[in-house]
Structures are given as C-alpha cells and as structure tokens.
Amino acid sequence: NAGVTQTPKFQVLKTGQSMTLQCAQDMNHNSMYWYRQDPGMGLRLIYYSASEGTTDKGEVPNGYNVSRLNKREFSLRLESAAPSQTSVYFCASTDAQGFNQPQHFGDGTRLSIL
Amino acid sequence: QKEVEQNSGPLSVPEGAIASLNCTYSDRGSQSFFWYRQYSGKSPELIMSIYSNGDKEDGRFTAQLNKASQYVSLLIRDSQPSDSATYLCAVPGWSGYSTLTFGKGTMLLVSP
C-alpha cells in the first residue's frame, strides 16, 4: 500500500537554485496539502488543493508555488531557494472537501539550502 | 487565526504507567479532533479521531473530548518505550476546506 509518495527524500540546494518536490497519492483522495515542519514551529500549511483544478494559499505561501497536475499529483516548486526554506516538507491528502476528515502523510522530503 | 496549544514536554513516564497528553484549542466551533504520533525523523501518523464529547477508546489509547472547556486529551495506558514519540493534536483549520491546524506537539519519553 503506497499511500502518499514523495520524491525526493533528501535534497541539498544552493541559494538561488530552483526545484520541484513531487507528491502522488493512490487513495483517490480529493484534497492534497503541502506542509513544512521546522524545530519549535510545528507543522505549517504552505498550500493546499481542495480538489483537482483548485489551489489555495496556506499559512506560509511566500517563496513557493504549487501545481495540482491531476487528481493524484500535487507538486511544490521553489523558484529561487533561500536558506530560510531549509526544512522538512510533508505532503498529505484526505478524501473529502469538507470538515471532519483526517489527513494522511507522506514520508517527507528533507531539504537543505546552502 | 485558530490556535492549538500543547505542552512541549518532554513528558517522562515509566514503562507501564499511564501517559496523559493534553491539548486546548481556541475555536468553539471545532467539530473534529485528531491525534497524530510522530517518531523522530518520521512523518505524522494518525492514531485517534474524536468527534463527540466524552471518551473514545482504541486499544491502549483513549481520547477524551470536552467541548465546553475546549480541550482534548490522549491517555496511553500501559505505556511502552515504543510509545516514545511526539504527539500532535490537530483541529480543523481556518479555511474550511479540510485544512487542519496542528499543535506543536508534546514529546513523550517512556523509560524502561
């Protein structure tokens, strides 16, 4: 059971480089999310997609862009990486557009910006 | 901005004891509450959901919800060293589209 799959698992970038984090889910979920997790800050929502074709900003969207490629895939792009974006990034999904649904997480991408 | 508060810990308990983890939230309208467990270096894993006032039991885990006092707790009976992890509380977020607001988590350490 794959669930939510994130690639890559680890990445080191130089300041100013760009990259795309990939996320795919095989649970036929409608909603998908990108979080970052930093020590002492908890999980913070970057962007989400309530359904295919829609995306919305979360708590900390600056410096990021997203694409909901299809129902399965939701990518996160850093156009010009900054050291402040060093973090662990988690993708999650859930099977409803309304309230009361838990989210299921991928294994994360550990990103370091030098 | 909805807020979820947890004591960061660490909460240290001996093996076999009951661990009690607490969470308070700011939005009186919240209808669903989730507990996630996160081992060091791993992703959050859902362990409990609770929607109604009272207790919900699942194996060694019991979630307790008190909407009037705006708190939700997680009890772990017969704590094991393998329960050592950070426990995250989550409630529906600010957007209404299945977003969740997470607490910063409580670290639990169970000593043999």
Side-chain angles (χ1 to χ4, degrees), chain A residues 31 33 35 37 40-43 45 48 50 57-59 90 94 96-103 105-107 110, chain B residues 1-2 31-32 34 36 38 41-46 49 51 88 92-100 102-104:
Chain A
S31 303
Y33 311 83
Y35 293 89
Q37 187 174 40
M41 298 299 292
L43 281 164
L45 184 64
Y48 66 100
K57 295 178 180 179
E59 181 184 358
F90 289 105
T94 189
Q97 294 181 342
F99 285 104
N100 300 335
Q101 297 299 321
Q103 295 174 11
F105 285 80
D107 289 339
R110 284 148 184 80
Chain B
Q1 179 75 10
K2 298 186 181 183
Q31 296 295 315
S32 54
F34 308 103
Y36 287 80
Q38 186 174 26
K42 301 296 185 181
S43 60
E45 172 192 13
L46 179 71
S49 305
Y51 304 97
L88 307 173
W94 46 272
S95 78
Y97 285 101
S98 288
T99 62
L100 294 176
F102 287 83
K104 294 180 180 179

